[in-house]
Amino acid sequence: MELDYKAIGKRIKVARIRMEITQEQLADKVSVSPTHLSNIETGSTRVSLTTIVKVANALNVTVDDLLCDNLVKARPQFERDMQSLLDDCNDHEVRIAYKVAKAAVEAVRSDEKLNQQ
């Protein structure tokens, strides 16, 4: 299995921005160069397990939060992500998001039934 380093980097960047810290500040906290952190965030370099743990600790998130796009069982992380997304929506946007999610679930289930036949 190949890890999706772009997805890991994107989650690191989002968590860093939520904490309102710069790449330079995070790089200093985890003892890497700002250039290396930039490369991690863009997914253009592989990040070590040690660095992922340091980044998670510095950003007050779990390693699962950073790796969930690569995990089979990551439901809690995705549920938190969905809730965070909805928290920023107005009533109309929540209604539309629900309709889109419902249609997506129905399409996936319908496709799964077709593939089982």
Side-chain angles (χ1 to χ4, degrees):
M1 177 185 139
E2 186 67 27
L3 293 178
D4 185 348
Y5 289 99
K6 287 187 186 292
I8 295 167
K10 183 176 180 182
R11 288 192 174 271
I12 290 171
K13 182 177 181 176
V14 167
R16 176 181 60 76
I17 291 169
R18 281 190 184 141
M19 290 244 349
E20 298 180 352
I21 62 174
T22 66
Q23 281 184 340
E24 291 78 15
Q25 291 169 320
L26 180 57
D28 186 52
K29 286 183 177 202
V30 299
S31 303
V32 299
S33 72
T35 301
H36 184 59
L37 182 62
S38 176
N39 290 336
I40 290 170
E41 285 188 358
T42 60
S44 56
T45 190
R46 293 177 179 228
V47 58
S48 71
L49 181 57
T50 301
T51 301
I52 287 176
V53 171
K54 287 180 182 180
V55 167
N57 286 332
L59 295 174
N60 295 319
V61 298
T62 69
V63 173
D64 285 354
D65 290 331
L66 301 178
L67 299 177
C68 67
D69 297 297
N70 293 278
L71 301 172
V72 174
K73 297 205 179 249
R75 183 180 179 127
Q77 287 75 28
F78 288 118
E79 286 176 347
R80 278 197 303 273
D81 285 353
M82 287 178 68
Q83 186 59 54
S84 177
L85 179 67
L86 293 174
D87 287 345
D88 191 41
C89 292
N90 64 36
D91 291 345
H92 177 72
E93 292 168 335
V94 169
R95 180 183 304 273
I96 299 301
Y98 167 76
K99 288 179 180 180
V100 169
K102 183 179 178 188
V105 168
E106 289 170 354
V108 168
R109 289 180 178 167
S110 174
D111 190 57
E112 286 173 348
K113 286 181 185 177
L114 289 174
N115 288 332
Q116 290 175 357
Q117 295 176 353

